Amino acid sequence: MTRSFQSETDALARSLNESGLGFATRAIHHGYDPAGFSNAVQPPVFLTSTYGFESVAANEAAAALGGRLYAREYNPTTEILEQRLANLEGAEAGLVVSSGMAAFGTLILSLLSQGDELIVHRTLYANTLAMVEQAVPRFGIKAVAVDLSDPHNLDAAITERTRLVFFETPVNPLSRILDIAAIAERAHARGVKVAVDSTFGSPALQRPLEHGADIVLHSLTKYINGHGDALGGAILGDAQTLRTLHETGLRYITGAALSPMSAFLILRGLKTLTLRMERHSATALAVAQALEAHPAVTWVSYPFLDSHPDRVTARKQMSQGSGMLAFGLHAGFEGARRMMDRLNLITRAVSLGDADSLIYHPGSLTRARQPIRKDAHLADGVGEDLMRLSVGLEDANDLIADLRQALDAF
Ligand code: PLP
């Protein structure tokens, strides 16, 4: 059963690739043939922790396939998700894990060793930053923060010990854009691999491998699932690296397997990714323009606004701007708190990429954490006034009206 399913899905994956089907079609169909699963149109959820074999030889054959013996390393539902995501990103292979942080942890702890160096962009998602600053050095890996908004800065930072350059684009929470092709070119010239966290963009809007990156990471919790009801992470790239990540990283370094139920939910969310990203992007642009026109607002950062410093790079590597924007008020830190408390429709919450619009103020949460975590601080480049808005799928007019009524009170 295991092997026949595998050969069927492999054959289907090849045929979809070769048939030149569009992105939206592949987001719905790639890697799954109902004929292999009792004609179930939706992928079944395989809730099993282990697999039984008809003979010792069959058991050995499964082991030779990369340890398809136990659910930490293998599950048919999660495998469909891996194949589909790899196809959508244009990667040879994929690995899904239990969260976006698990994806970053699996990547770093599998590919880097004591004495190696990791280069990161100076602004990162807060918990990736915490891992880079606090955990990575404990394993003897040196992490070097560089401003990659000028790719020339890489030249002085790369040493013979540098193994990986890692950055997000769009960057959380600023929605600045880093030039994937320019960074990859400079890194590759020195023999260094590049990994891009593309969570803010999703493969519907940008595919970093097409611009020269070697590895792509996602928090599946965000746009790819899109409904705020599951955690997940993914790593996509070449088959050899992914084999290492799977057979060492997932199997015995992190053990951070994705629940098959979450894989099912994420596969369901993925079916509407193309439509959702179009709507998120169109609404976010309208919201960004409305915010920019309001006198209480000092600045707005949205990649497809004419005022955005990286608008040229954004248009080069993204088809639309996504639903993420950041802004600040003349009234600064305290103003952000007051304005957010006046919102009626937009939800005050961390996370992003959901159907519901979510707003978050890193400055106040960082201050609130400092009594319990003294080293908590904002990422480089993030001001205390910054509010991050994840524009959802509600009507643009309703979102703009909610923001206006909250801003008009200033
Ligand atoms: N990468 C980015 C850009 C994120 O915004 C996040 C979470 O907000 C993560 C990674 C971590 O993902 P997760 O929350 O699924 O662990």
Side-chain angles (χ1 to χ4, degrees):
M1 169 66 191
T2 305
R3 268 172 295 163
S4 75
F5 157 72
Q6 182 53 27
S7 57
E8 271 159 27
T9 52
D10 282 353
L12 185 74
R14 276 196 302 280
S15 72
L16 282 177
N17 260 336
E18 286 157 12
S19 65
L21 293 170
F23 183 94
T25 308
R26 287 178 283 127
I28 295 168
H29 293 289
H30 183 85
Y32 182 68
D33 183 356
F37 297 94
S38 308
N39 294 325
V41 174
Q42 302 308 327
V45 185
F46 284 83
L47 288 172
T48 184
S49 59
T50 192
Y51 303 90
F53 295 90
E54 62 271 24
S55 65
V56 173
N59 204 333
E60 288 167 355
L65 271 176
R68 294 164 162 264
L69 303 172
Y70 185 62
R72 192 183 330 99
E73 299 112 36
Y74 169 65
N75 180 279
T77 318
T78 58
E79 190 175 64
I80 296 163
L81 180 59
E82 289 172 343
Q83 294 188 352
R84 195 164 293 174
L85 289 171
N87 176 274
L88 294 177
E89 286 288 359
E92 286 175 4
L95 177 70
V96 294
V97 289
S98 58
S99 69
M101 282 311 298
F104 185 66
T106 303
L107 180 81
I108 300 303
L109 298 178
S110 306
L111 299 190
L112 279 76
S113 304
Q114 192 176 12
D116 288 345
E117 293 181 11
L118 165 71
I119 293 180
V120 296
H121 179 55
R122 65 182 193 127
T123 313
L124 287 171
Y125 164 57
N127 286 310
T128 306
L129 181 69
M131 179 168 170
V132 163
E133 288 182 344
Q134 283 151 53
V136 165
R138 286 179 33 228
F139 300 102
I141 300 163
K142 185 175 169 193
V144 183
V146 174
D147 182 359
L148 294 176
S149 61
D150 182 353
H152 291 94
N153 292 336
L154 257 190
D155 298 347
I158 292 178
T159 74
E160 62 194 15
R161 291 174 174 267
T162 308
R163 293 288 167 270
L164 190 69
V165 175
F166 177 86
F167 59 93
E168 300 160 0
T169 186
V171 178
N172 186 359
L174 283 168
S175 286
R176 289 289 306 263
I177 304 295
L178 300 178
D179 188 331
I180 301 167
I183 295 167
E185 195 184 314
R186 300 193 99 77
H188 290 165
R190 305 278 294 276
V192 176
K193 287 198 174 198
V194 171
V196 177
D197 181 333
S198 188
T199 298
F200 268 37
S202 94
L205 303 186
Q206 77 176 11
R207 290 173 291 280
L209 302 184
E210 290 175 4
H211 301 279
D214 303 287
I215 296 165
V216 181
L217 267 83
H218 283 287
S219 166
L220 302 175
T221 317
K222 317 301 182 193
Y223 285 115
I224 291 179
N225 179 47
H227 294 76
D229 50 14
L231 292 180
I235 313 169
L236 300 316
D238 65 276
Q240 194 186 337
T241 304
L242 266 293
R243 199 170 304 120
T244 304
L245 296 176
H246 200 149
E247 292 182 15
T248 61
L250 177 59
R251 183 195 303 256
Y252 58 77
I253 298 180
T254 66
L258 181 69
S259 141
M261 191 61 212
S262 299
F264 169 82
L265 289 170
I266 296 164
L267 278 165
R268 183 169 70 166
L270 189 52
K271 292 198 179 204
T272 55
L273 180 70
T274 318
L275 274 176
R276 288 188 284 106
M277 294 315 291
E278 283 170 12
R279 177 70 178 260
H280 281 299
S281 300
T283 308
L285 181 59
V287 169
Q289 285 165 339
L291 283 172
E292 209 171 31
H294 198 284
V297 175
T298 333
W299 60 273
V300 182
S301 174
Y302 181 71
F304 274 48
L305 274 183
D306 290 339
S307 58
H308 195 278
D310 311 318
R311 61 193 171 281
V312 175
T313 311
R315 285 180 165 79
K316 187 176 78 168
Q317 63 194 33
M318 299 177 78
S319 56
Q320 285 180 292
S322 173
M324 298 306 300
L325 60 89
F327 65 105
L329 307 183
H330 292 293
F333 178 88
E334 288 302 334
R337 294 166 60 92
R338 287 204 302 280
M339 192 221 86
M340 282 179 46
D341 278 345
R342 287 187 202 122
L343 293 168
N344 299 316
L345 176 63
I346 298 171
T347 306
R348 288 165 288 276
V350 296
S351 202
L352 61 109
D354 295 357
D356 308 52
S357 290
L358 307 174
I359 193 164
Y360 144 70
H361 181 213
S364 54
L365 282 191
T366 302
R367 280 202 201 177
R369 273 195 198 128
Q370 277 161 350
I372 48 165
R373 236 189 69 189
K374 292 217 171 352
D375 48 18
H377 65 91
L378 288 169
D380 226 1
V382 179
E384 282 212 307
D385 62 333
L386 180 146
M387 281 172 279
R388 187 188 76 182
L389 177 58
S390 170
V391 175
L393 299 175
E394 302 93 339
D395 288 294
N397 287 344
D398 293 334
L399 296 175
I400 292 169
D402 195 30
L403 288 162
R404 275 210 187 111
Q405 62 79 27
L407 289 167
D408 285 349
F410 283 101

